[in-house]
Amino acid sequence: MLKIEPYRPQAFIDFTRAENVQAYQQALAKVRAEQLGRHFPLIINGQARDTAQRLLSTNPCDTSEVVGSTAKATIQDAEDALAGAWEAFNGWKTWTMDARARVLLKAAAILKRRRLEACALMTLEVGKNYAEADVEVAEGIDFLEYYAREAMRYEGFGAAETTWYDGEENGLMYLPLGVGVSISPWNFPCAIFLGMLAAPIVVGNCMVVKPAEDSGMIAGLMLDVLMEAGLPAGVVQFLPGVGEEVGEHLTTHPRTRFISFTGSRNVGLHINEVAAKHKPGQRFIKRVFLELGGKDALIIDETADPEVAVTAAVQGGFGFNGQKCSAMSRLVVVDSVYDSVVGKFVERVKALKVGTGEENAGVTAVVNQESFDKVRSYLEIGRAEGKVLTGGEATGNNNGKTGHYVQPTIIGDVDATARIAQEEIFGPVVTVLRARDWTHALEIANSTEYGLTGGVCSRDRARLEQARAEFEVGNLYFNRKITGAIVGVQPFGGYNMSGTDSKAGGPEYLGNFMQLKAVTERW
Ligand code: NAD
């Protein structure tokens, strides 16, 4: 068995220290000099393959800048990728768990060395500020380290105990499923992309991976890392392309054994539906893992420490511009402290600096035009459904830079049934709801179809215990922000329309990608 120290999450870089800020800026300059305009081809069976058409990555904080490009896979490329992955599976499934884990551990070591390079590219490609990019690359490293160790638990017959039966030997074997498809979002283009492929491959599956259209470069960089770590050809087929084209082809393909999807509710439900349809020649029922959106609420009651509560609200609501599935998009405050808490919250949000990721602004631009248009339309709806307490405009430019800028916005006194209190906006817009009391606050928090993250700021022990039991979310936090789950520490996944609760970064996650065989020998 592989000898390694126990898993421990990566520490984050402290950007209050001038030397760390300087190192980040040097990494940005280096990436600008060496990688701006870089093109990432497909990788099929370990070989680079280019396509006639390309997908361009533009800097959301300065849309005049093209950061680089990826190939744009065709249906034929998707066919070749799937066929190649099944071929590679014949060899990869025979590797021991330890041997596969070594590839992940080496990749983690390489990514640690290239941490700031990955961060800097992410800043340019999707507009993350320094800390947001850093915690994400740290999470990517954590997934590699954590799943490597988890896989080792499944070696041989030891992983699942069976009951002794006289006259026989009985045992359970864990086996990989085959070839899966991973379809990932742009908002965690390093960590989620890596985690969604690392878990299935370390237990012996092969993957066709389709990153989101807006973040193909950072995904391409992760492929560089995996290949440098010695990942055999064909185990991961890199297939950037359009979701509705190659994504749809892959999820409906009869040779796709399982689908791991993280993205929006509507696309997820569509995939669930089409993946369930049997195709001629299809030999299995596809497993489908869906991790979707949220309308996540933080409750602040009259016993809460106002400083702790308001800090949690600002961080949870506006970290990466609210573009997190876990973002606090609803703030529920009990009536007796509503005016004072919301007043403080508004003051803090007014002080947030809007700017580019490169300037390390607190709030940057939203990812693309489609997102910008969507947020803008919700601002209009919000003006009718509540009172704009700060922000409210999608300006589209900031300090002379043309980008997808939206002012950090808070809309108060919104009814719990309003659209902006029920639908995921996915931008820097927080809806504030007034609750009569604690009971009403919990009722409001549970009143959407989603159930991803949630939080309570309170010093009332009985209320925290009630929330522990009754707050219907996959990830619940008390007296802190509701974002920033750490691999192995807070396994992540939502309830209800937020997903299938597969709990990425948790002790059961690898089991999703294996099947058990019970073997009996009569003596
Ligand atoms: P999206 O649903 O638009 O796209 C996600 C992926 O699906 C992309 O790679 C896209 O190309 C692909 N896709 C689109 N149509 C497809 C189709 N018909 N068939 C197959 N693939 C298709 O989501 P997004 O805008 O990239 O990401 C934001 C969403 O993701 C938000 O709703 C957010 O809450 C959610 N999210 C959830 C989690 C979680 O863990 N629950 C984590 C991150 C993001």
Side-chain angles (χ1 to χ4, degrees), residues 183-188 192 210-213 241-244 247-248 251 261-265 267-268 270-271 291-294 324-326 424 426 452 492-494 498:
I183 298 185
S184 49
W186 53 265
N187 69 328
F188 282 87
I192 291 184
K210 196 211 81 63
E213 291 86 329
V242 173
E244 294 82 349
E248 183 85 15
T251 53
F261 173 81
T262 304
S264 62
R265 168 198 187 276
V267 175
H270 170 75
I271 288 175
E291 297 307 321
L292 312 177
K324 298 182 188 181
C325 54
S326 55
E424 187 183 52
F426 221 59
L452 189 46
F492 192 79
S498 290

Side-chain angles (χ1 to χ4, degrees), residues 15 21 24-25 28 128-134 357-360:
F15 290 109
V21 171
Y24 202 100
Q25 286 166 347
L28 276 165
K128 289 206 176 192
N129 67 21
Y130 303 0
E132 292 291 344
D134 178 60
E358 278 176 281
E359 293 161 350
N360 200 19

Side-chain angles (χ1 to χ4, degrees), residues 132-182:
E132 292 291 344
D134 178 60
V135 298
E136 179 176 350
V137 177
E139 186 183 359
I141 296 166
D142 288 347
F143 275 133
L144 295 168
E145 296 267 2
Y146 181 80
Y147 292 143
R149 287 165 176 79
E150 279 296 299
M152 287 152 51
R153 292 201 289 121
Y154 290 98
E155 189 70 71
F157 272 111
E161 282 293 313
T162 52
T163 301
W164 177 259
Y165 197 77
D166 276 345
E168 290 180 358
E169 187 220 356
N170 289 283
L172 274 175
M173 291 162 77
Y174 281 94
L175 301 171
L177 295 171
V179 172
V181 166
S182 156

Side-chain angles (χ1 to χ4, degrees), residues 266-395:
N266 289 351
V267 175
L269 287 182
H270 170 75
I271 288 175
N272 198 39
E273 192 178 332
V274 295
K277 216 168 162 52
H278 180 263
K279 287 264 184 89
Q282 185 174 323
R283 299 182 61 212
F284 24 64
I285 299 162
K286 292 173 190 170
R287 282 194 195 173
V288 181
F289 308 99
L290 305 169
E291 297 307 321
L292 312 177
K295 191 71 191 175
D296 312 307
L298 175 70
I299 298 175
I300 300 179
D301 80 0
E302 71 281 14
T303 71
D305 177 330
E307 187 49 38
V308 167
V310 170
T311 299
V314 177
Q315 292 173 337
F318 295 96
F320 193 34
N321 324 321
Q323 298 176 117
K324 298 182 188 181
C325 54
S326 55
M328 184 209 72
S329 51
R330 292 181 298 150
L331 179 64
V332 185
V333 188
V334 298
D335 185 49
S336 59
V337 290
Y338 183 98
D339 292 335
S340 68
V341 165
V342 176
K344 285 193 183 80
F345 179 47
V346 169
E347 283 318 304
R348 289 276 298 275
V349 171
K350 275 185 175 159
L352 289 174
K353 187 172 155 258
V354 178
T356 66
E358 278 176 281
E359 293 161 350
N360 200 19
V363 172
T364 68
V366 300
V367 74
N368 58 25
Q369 187 66 42
E370 195 185 330
S371 226
F372 179 78
D373 291 342
K374 180 179 166 197
V375 177
R376 187 163 51 183
S377 77
Y378 274 108
L379 290 177
E380 215 172 293
I381 297 167
R383 274 190 283 276
E385 289 184 330
K387 187 167 169 238
V388 177
L389 303 177
T390 185
E393 298 296 329
T395 54

